[in-house]
Amino acid sequence: MSEQVKDFSKHIPLVENNATSAQLDDVIAAPMEKYPPIRWWICFAVALSLLGFGAYSLIRTVYFGIGEWGNNNPVFWAFDIVNFVFWIGIGHAGTLISAVLFLFRQWWRNSIARAAEAMTVFAVICAMIFPIIHTGRPWLAHYLLPYPSERNLWTNFTSPLEWDVFAVTTYGTVSFVFWYVGLIPDFGVMRDRTKITTFMSGVRKYIYTVLSWGWINSNRHWQHYERTYLILAGFATPLVFSVHTIVSFDFATSVIPGWHTTIFPPYFVAGAVFSGFAMVVSVMTIVRWAYHLEHIITINTLEKVNKILMATGLMVGYAYGMEFFIAWYGQNPNESFVFYNRAFGPNSLGYWTMVICNVVSPQIFWFRKARRSILVMSIVAIFVNIGMWYERYTIIVSSLSRDYLQSSWDRYEFSIIDIGLLLGSFGLFFTLVLLFTRFLPVVAMSEIKAVAENNQPTHHGDNH
Amino acid sequence: MSAEKKIYAVTAIFDTPDAIMSAAAKVRDSEYSKFDVHTPYPVHGMDHAMGLKPTKLPFVTLICGLTGLAIAFSLQTGIMFGDYRLNIGGKPFFSLPAFIPIMFECTVLVLAHLTVFFMLTMFNKLPINNCPLHDTDYSRAIMCDKFGVAIEARDENFNEEKVKSFLSRIGGRDIVTIYEKEGE
């Protein structure tokens, strides 16, 4: 945060309207200090209904077993792993924005980093449900962890599935810690803003006091704090790339045609960032409108997000093309068949949905007007999320349903419980997002104040 | 205010980042060493203006990271090569490349959590929810949009009147004395 001297976007103000620090605090804290408007309650009711459908499906899954799902022999992995990979991917944008863009000194990230990190934490929560329930006996999930037990059993550390346990656990907890570290100064601001007038405001002040650790904005604290933030960003960057790499190893280290490819790690990481940025656009366009943050989450910021969306979309499109090329160039009949089957077989609808949504739709961002139009970017973002879900569906289901042995081929059809769990995960995600916008500052106050106009000294001490 | 009350610090408010920068440098060069600067966000160059030494936090991070790495390596080697040998497709029992993902993850896991923990408790001496500055007008100002200097009473050269005149000389306003909280 402190070293923004060589900022190439300096001529564009990151916070518009010359908002002062006090005004920024007021507008960011407003949703937490007011009773939520009716449209918040409507959104919350919708999200809770979806969550209820998901809870019903989850209870049936746990009670009756995973026979409730459409999974069959040979499609042992279907919606469960599709949803897992999808949600882990959504999370990647948050870390990319908060850590990678921080290291690259892209200060426009300060307005969206907090919300994107929150989305990371929530997406990892959604993702973690699926591998746990797909084991069939979620009450034995602790078997995934290596611990000395009376059974004398240990886990197999040469399995990518075990790497996944460590990668996702580390990613989830480190993302949470990174998010919380950013929140500490803002809890301090909220503690000092809250005046005890009613019982509830006393409760709020108590909670803010505890969560802020007594933060007092001392520069002796900022010094260590900033270094911690830099260290966390530095390690969250390889972490985020490792997580989807390891997720892709689940597929790439197997022998299934269409999965056993070396392009998977970079392809999955690009796809994850792509879908995550689409979710960021979907949520931020609504948040900035609903909470009057248009001058903080500016159209310039969203335009930059859209550029990243288009760049990662092109990477994904390249991966699609390269997969086909290698299938042809490798002259492996099983491999070529899988790709022919993806595009023209029984799941071709899913394949072409994926291509149109992920490769064709972001091309509109070549036009500046489209990049700066809230309507266009919202539509493209929804398309991309649909497309990225279908990408995982295509990879997993089309490869499994028709692999080497024709005698074991079978078609896959999902059940209503599968749909329930998918919608339920969206319900959980948006319920958490709505609670987040209500109870926590959606924009990092201390970070956005640091990059507002005239908020840094004109000379930088006598060491410059 | 009764005279028996113990003084915690004398504080002054500054309005602009430039003012606080020059004020911090002047306090640094003065006779007072137990002072602090409060800013609503990290101000660039303030560490130097206050004369702070670089933080030693990265050494702690290094030790934590190596600890995590060592734990992951010995856990995996001890299990796969010692306690629980599994023949998986004839692969070697000790296969370092397969251990690397978990070694990396555990390094980051231990390092991230402990760096934050030590930053808060060891380096910043938090939590300090009984800090006398809390719930003062000074605190509300510096948490929002103002900049402040606090010269603490535990400084050996501290003298309330002298400090007040010094702070007003370097351009501070709203100079007030903050007392220790009662009963603490």
Side-chain angles (χ1 to χ4, degrees):
Chain A
M1 265 173 289
S2 62
E3 291 173 22
Q4 48 193 342
V5 195
K6 293 186 185 71
D7 185 354
F8 296 107
S9 61
K10 198 156 194 173
H11 58 284
I12 303 172
L14 293 172
V15 178
E16 288 170 357
N17 302 350
N18 280 321
T20 62
S21 295
Q23 288 168 341
L24 289 171
D25 272 1
D26 287 342
V27 70
I28 294 166
M32 293 182 278
E33 292 168 342
K34 283 193 297 217
Y35 192 74
I38 188 78
R39 55 178 186 242
W40 186 88
W41 285 107
I42 293 169
C43 295
F44 194 61
V46 173
L48 269 188
S49 317
L50 290 176
L51 182 59
F53 188 20
Y56 166 76
S57 309
L58 188 68
I59 288 166
R60 281 193 70 110
T61 301
V62 174
Y63 191 82
F64 294 108
I66 51 174
E68 291 287 295
W69 299 351
N71 300 28
N72 58 20
N73 179 358
V75 187
F76 294 104
W77 279 2
F79 266 46
D80 44 354
I81 303 300
V82 173
N83 295 344
F84 165 68
V85 180
F86 175 78
W87 280 115
I88 284 285
I90 294 295
H92 277 46
T95 321
L96 197 98
I97 290 170
S98 57
V100 180
L101 295 182
F102 180 82
L103 296 181
F104 281 107
R105 308 269 185 265
Q106 298 297 309
W107 302 121
W108 54 269
R109 78 179 256 295
N110 286 14
S111 64
I112 53 173
R114 166 69 47 73
E117 277 171 48
M119 286 159 63
T120 298
V121 174
F122 304 151
V124 174
I125 292 170
C126 292
M128 278 174 122
I129 294 170
F130 289 100
I132 288 172
I133 58 171
H134 113 118
T135 58
R137 282 181 275 176
W139 51 93
L140 298 177
H142 55 283
Y143 281 16
L144 295 166
L145 300 170
Y147 67 101
S149 70
E150 76 283 3
R151 290 168 286 113
N152 277 321
L153 289 174
W154 291 97
T155 50
N156 172 15
F157 289 107
T158 56
S159 164
L161 299 179
E162 184 62 20
W163 303 347
D164 246 358
V165 173
F166 279 84
V168 175
T169 314
T170 304
Y171 184 50
T173 53
V174 171
S175 301
F176 177 78
V177 166
F178 198 21
W179 185 49
Y180 179 65
V181 166
L183 275 165
I184 289 173
D186 288 2
F187 282 132
V189 175
M190 291 312 296
R191 173 200 65 212
D192 279 24
R193 282 181 70 90
T194 310
K195 293 188 182 67
I196 302 178
T197 48
T198 59
F199 175 71
M200 277 320 287
S201 62
V203 171
R204 284 181 54 210
K205 182 151 181 137
Y206 181 78
I207 292 171
Y208 290 137
T209 305
V210 170
L211 291 177
S212 70
W213 291 62
W215 189 264
I216 191 68
N217 274 348
S218 151
N219 195 62
R220 290 179 193 273
H221 294 171
W222 280 125
Q223 188 201 15
H224 304 300
Y225 175 93
E226 280 206 281
R227 184 51 66 94
T228 305
Y229 205 85
L230 181 66
I231 290 169
L232 285 183
F235 282 96
T237 301
L239 179 66
V240 69
F241 291 116
S242 84
V243 171
H244 231 60
T245 302
I246 291 174
V247 169
S248 81
F249 284 167
D250 294 347
F251 304 96
T253 59
S254 76
V255 294
I256 305 291
W259 291 7
H260 188 67
T261 57
T262 48
I263 202 175
F264 259 34
Y267 164 31
F268 267 50
V269 171
V273 174
F274 183 48
S275 64
F277 269 85
M279 192 62 97
V280 167
V281 170
S282 307
V283 173
M284 294 328 284
T285 47
I286 297 168
V287 165
R288 74 195 282 275
W289 165 76
Y291 296 123
H292 311 292
L293 300 172
E294 283 96 343
H295 61 297
I296 298 173
I297 303 162
T298 61
I299 210 85
N300 291 316
T301 300
L302 291 173
E303 186 186 354
K304 291 181 180 100
V305 172
N306 288 334
K307 283 178 182 168
I308 294 178
L309 195 66
M310 189 175 73
T312 47
L314 289 171
M315 287 180 210
V316 169
Y318 168 80
Y320 296 162
M322 190 47 74
E323 277 190 319
F324 266 81
F325 171 75
I326 294 293
W328 165 78
Y329 189 66
Q331 289 289 299
N332 178 330
N334 297 98
E335 196 76 15
S336 346
F337 169 75
V338 160
F339 285 98
Y340 180 82
N341 181 50
R342 274 187 195 170
F344 304 108
N347 288 319
S348 59
L349 187 67
Y351 181 83
W352 292 108
T353 309
M354 157 187 121
V355 170
I356 290 165
C357 290
N358 290 352
V359 184
V360 180
S361 77
Q363 300 309 320
I364 195 165
F365 287 148
W366 286 107
F367 300 100
R368 186 166 186 269
K369 269 209 168 125
R371 287 200 300 272
R372 299 176 71 87
S373 155
I374 296 293
L375 181 69
V376 172
M377 72 176 89
S378 310
I379 293 170
V380 171
I382 290 166
F383 272 0
V384 168
N385 272 318
I386 294 170
M388 284 309 294
W389 189 86
Y390 268 105
E391 179 196 298
R392 280 67 178 251
Y393 181 84
T394 302
I395 291 171
I396 291 171
V397 172
S398 78
S399 277
L400 281 176
S401 66
R402 294 186 167 189
D403 62 355
Y404 298 106
L405 277 179
Q406 275 195 22
S407 56
S408 64
W409 283 8
D410 202 355
R411 284 208 63 177
Y412 168 75
E413 269 160 23
F414 51 80
S415 75
I416 184 77
I417 300 298
D418 283 318
I419 297 289
L421 286 170
L422 173 60
L423 293 180
S425 65
F426 274 93
L428 175 62
F429 182 77
F430 284 109
T431 303
L432 292 170
V433 166
L434 285 163
L435 289 175
F436 160 69
T437 61
R438 169 80 183 83
F439 287 110
L440 296 173
V442 286
V443 177
M445 293 166 168
S446 64
E447 290 186 10
I448 200 73
K449 281 189 269 187
V451 296
E453 297 295 285
N454 305 324
N455 271 7
Q456 290 291 345
T458 46
H459 60 91
H460 299 285
D462 37 17
N463 58 338
H464 283 283
Chain B
M1 294 285 171
S2 66
E4 299 98 69
K5 271 191 160 183
K6 225 177 135 206
I7 295 172
Y8 172 74
V10 173
T11 61
I13 295 281
F14 296 82
D15 286 316
T16 65
D18 285 337
I20 192 71
M21 285 294 282
S22 65
K26 279 172 193 152
V27 180
R28 174 194 67 193
D29 298 335
S30 75
E31 56 191 319
Y32 308 108
S33 59
K34 301 274 190 297
F35 72 100
D36 207 343
V37 172
H38 298 96
T39 55
Y41 45 84
V43 172
H44 182 65
M46 182 56 84
D47 294 353
H48 182 80
M50 277 178 76
L52 298 181
K53 291 195 190 82
T55 170
K56 296 202 169 54
L57 193 72
F59 294 106
V60 174
T61 306
L62 178 69
I63 292 163
C64 297
L66 291 176
T67 309
L69 188 73
I71 290 171
F73 177 77
S74 46
L75 181 80
Q76 293 184 95
T77 313
I79 290 170
M80 300 298 284
F81 192 59
D83 199 32
Y84 193 63
R85 293 188 173 213
L86 279 175
N87 187 337
I88 299 149
K91 289 177 203 157
F93 295 116
F94 177 76
S95 54
L96 187 63
F99 297 167
I100 283 176
I102 293 182
M103 281 160 65
F104 170 73
E105 300 299 334
C106 284
T107 306
V108 178
L109 182 74
V110 174
L111 161 164
H113 289 82
L114 289 186
T115 301
V116 170
F117 178 77
F118 285 126
M119 180 271 284
L120 291 171
T121 56
M122 200 168 94
F123 286 88
N124 288 352
K125 309 273 190 297
L126 296 173
I128 42 160
N129 281 325
N130 57 350
C131 178
L133 293 176
H134 285 159
D135 280 313
T136 56
D137 288 336
Y138 175 75
S139 159
R140 273 184 282 277
I142 55 105
M143 291 309 280
C144 178
D145 59 348
K146 296 289 185 282
F147 309 86
V149 169
I151 294 177
E152 291 169 25
R154 62 196 168 94
D155 192 290
E156 44 196 46
N157 297 323
F158 185 84
N159 174 306
E160 193 183 347
E161 292 314 313
K162 272 189 183 169
V163 168
K164 279 187 170 174
S165 68
F166 170 69
L167 285 174
S168 80
R169 213 162 50 236
I170 62 173
R173 62 172 180 82
D174 292 351
I175 297 164
V176 287
T177 308
I178 310 271
Y179 294 91
E180 296 273 6
K181 284 181 185 171
E182 279 176 60
E184 282 179 28

